[in-house]
Amino acid sequence: MAATAHPSDVIGEEELTDADPSAAELCLPSRPESAAWARRVTRRQLQGRWLLPAELTEDAVLLVSELVGNAVRHAGAHSFGLRLRRRRGWVRAEVRDPSRALPCRLPVREMDVVSGRGLFLVDTLADRWGVDLLPCGKTTWFEMRVPSRGPASPA
């Protein structure tokens, strides 16, 4: 039985634990277990550091997992990059891989289909999403609006 790569094979264990995906791109191995690491990092950043609402955080965690899954399944690379960004009113997640093949959103006719719904979910839950082609690969990204923290408006 072959040993599977651990995300700390690409970045150190301490670096992964303390990693700030808003300061620099995290490089993770192209292995299925990296999706769990990406979910934890995303949850910690959005809810723990940026104090964003739980529902928005959970949607973003799901969408990051979908983009990571696509990179792991389809990019054919040893690793991929994850970056989270925040600007006023928005949060953005980016997954970079070395493949220039564009992802395609498949029609979802039956909701009990297990595979092929990733970009359908991204399209449904994100406010915007897209793909930026790079000289050596692509970045697939989504953005979600962040609710303002101002006082509640009168009814």
Side-chain angles (χ1 to χ4, degrees):
M1 182 178 212
T4 59
H6 191 275
S8 63
D9 292 343
V10 177
I11 61 176
E13 187 77 41
E14 290 176 14
E15 292 170 326
L16 187 61
T17 302
D18 297 329
D20 180 353
S22 68
E25 179 179 274
L26 300 182
C27 185
L28 298 171
S30 190
R31 300 284 186 175
E33 57 270 19
S34 289
W37 285 88
R39 287 191 297 271
R40 282 194 288 275
V41 166
T42 301
R43 185 174 285 109
R44 184 183 67 234
Q45 186 70 33
L46 272 64
Q47 204 163 25
R49 290 181 175 152
W50 291 342
L51 306 174
L52 297 181
E55 183 177 350
L56 181 128
T57 297
E58 291 310 311
D59 286 349
V61 165
L62 172 63
L63 300 187
V64 163
S65 188
E66 294 297 338
L67 295 187
V68 166
N70 284 348
V72 168
R73 277 190 295 283
H74 304 297
H78 293 292
S79 63
F80 64 91
L82 171 66
R83 181 104 193 233
L84 301 173
R85 299 174 187 265
R86 183 168 182 199
R87 66 178 201 270
R88 186 178 182 143
W90 293 92
V91 65
R92 177 181 174 110
E94 303 172 346
V95 174
R96 185 189 54 77
D97 67 65
S99 171
R100 287 181 52 89
L102 295 175
C104 58
R105 186 174 155 254
L106 301 173
V108 177
R109 293 187 180 95
E110 298 181 29
M111 289 313 288
D112 46 329
V113 174
V114 176
S115 180
R117 294 192 325 211
L119 289 180
F120 171 79
L121 290 171
V122 173
D123 191 53
T124 301
L125 296 175
D127 291 293
R128 299 189 284 231
W129 73 276
V131 179
D132 296 333
L133 286 176
L134 307 170
C136 295
K138 68 179 175 300
T139 298
T140 307
W141 55 269
F142 68 84
E143 294 180 336
M144 301 173 86
R145 284 188 180 93
V146 175
S148 66
R149 295 185 193 199
S153 55

